[in-house]
Amino acid sequence: MSRSPFFPKFADLPVEIPIFPLPGAVVMPGVQLPLNLFEPRYLNMVTDALAEAHVIGMVQPTSETLLDEVPEIHHIGCAGRITSYSETTDGRIVLVLTGMCRFQVRTEVEGRHGYRRVSAGWERFAADYHEESVTLTDRNGFLGSLKAYCTLRGVEVPWDDVQKMADADLVNLLCAHLPLSPEDKQALIETIPTDERARLMRGLMDMASVASMDVAEHRH
């Protein structure tokens, strides 16, 4: 998946970015994430982002503080660029965020108009901006685990499209859209090499498949 010509150069990624803390909502480089926003603070966030770099950072709250008014956040997230935007007559904003690069939260800075902002460190994830070809060690085995997982979980997948996808694009897409737990998604976000991330994902899918089969057996 080639990088959009509208994305900033890596050296021009902003030092400070707004964040949207949301459990289970993950974006990865090249992956599109639709968002339906209605809270005033996040409407403000989008308006401000469109006036500046069009960048929003998606980051997950920690599970221990999820119910807190201001939850703690994980230190690794992924930033995306607003690539589609529309306003509804009932006061919502519907947008598409396209993943650009993961980032490390250096520190949280002063919020603006009700939403939170952080100082972002990009260097650790510079590889997200490289368009190098990545080949999985065992793509067939990975796809076998994916099919078993999707069958047991009732997940519909366009397999013809999957077969045509490049390895890195496939792994990033699955990180964002498979129904894995927020903790599992966070572990995947924080794993840098694509092949290593694929091995971790395969292990998570295999464990989930075994757990689903165990539950099914106990029902009979």
Side-chain angles (χ1 to χ4, degrees):
M1 194 177 297
S2 59
R3 188 167 66 252
S4 166
F6 296 103
F7 282 6
K9 295 178 180 179
F10 183 77
D12 296 331
L13 288 169
V15 175
E16 295 181 356
I17 61 172
I19 58 167
F20 187 10
L22 191 62
V26 168
V27 70
M28 288 290 284
V31 176
Q32 293 188 331
L33 176 68
L35 293 171
N36 185 350
L37 305 178
F38 53 88
E39 289 188 52
R41 56 180 168 169
Y42 294 126
L43 299 181
N44 292 338
M45 177 184 69
V46 173
T47 300
D48 290 348
L50 289 171
E52 296 178 351
H54 292 213
V55 173
I56 293 173
M58 297 300 299
V59 60
Q60 296 197 115
T62 63
S63 57
E64 298 83 5
T65 66
L66 188 58
L67 300 179
D68 293 356
E69 184 175 349
V70 182
E72 293 182 16
I73 55 174
H74 285 285
H75 293 297
I76 302 298
C78 186
R81 189 178 193 277
I82 299 172
T83 52
S84 176
Y85 164 91
S86 64
E87 300 171 351
T88 68
T89 56
D90 59 356
R92 293 176 293 113
I93 289 177
V94 180
L95 60 84
V96 172
L97 202 64
T98 301
M100 296 192 310
C101 185
R102 286 170 288 174
F103 64 90
Q104 183 166 358
V105 176
R106 286 177 171 156
T107 184
E108 188 156 356
V109 299
E110 184 178 358
R112 188 185 292 170
H113 301 144
Y115 61 87
R116 299 166 70 178
R117 300 168 69 246
V118 300
S119 171
W122 309 97
E123 295 79 10
R124 180 179 171 192
F125 299 101
D128 287 350
Y129 254 59
H130 297 164
E131 296 183 8
E132 298 175 359
S133 177
V134 175
T135 302
L136 298 184
T137 303
D138 183 8
R139 181 181 171 104
N140 289 334
F142 180 84
L143 290 178
S145 294
L146 177 62
K147 287 180 180 179
Y149 174 85
C150 291
T151 299
L152 286 168
R153 289 300 182 96
V155 178
E156 294 186 7
V157 173
W159 294 109
D160 289 343
D161 294 338
V162 166
Q163 293 289 351
K164 299 172 185 176
M165 290 186 71
D167 290 347
D169 295 341
L170 175 60
V171 172
N172 282 346
L173 183 69
L174 294 174
C175 282
H177 293 302
L178 278 184
L180 297 167
S181 71
E183 293 80 8
D184 289 344
K185 290 195 175 194
Q186 189 63 36
L188 291 166
I189 294 171
E190 295 183 9
T191 304
I192 298 177
T194 300
D195 197 40
E196 187 176 328
R197 195 157 64 251
R199 285 196 296 272
L200 173 58
M201 184 183 295
R202 184 178 179 184
L204 294 170
M205 291 189 297
D206 288 345
M207 286 191 294
S209 297
V210 170
S212 296
M213 287 188 290
D214 287 344
V215 170
E217 289 176 358
H218 283 112
R219 287 175 178 170
H220 296 289

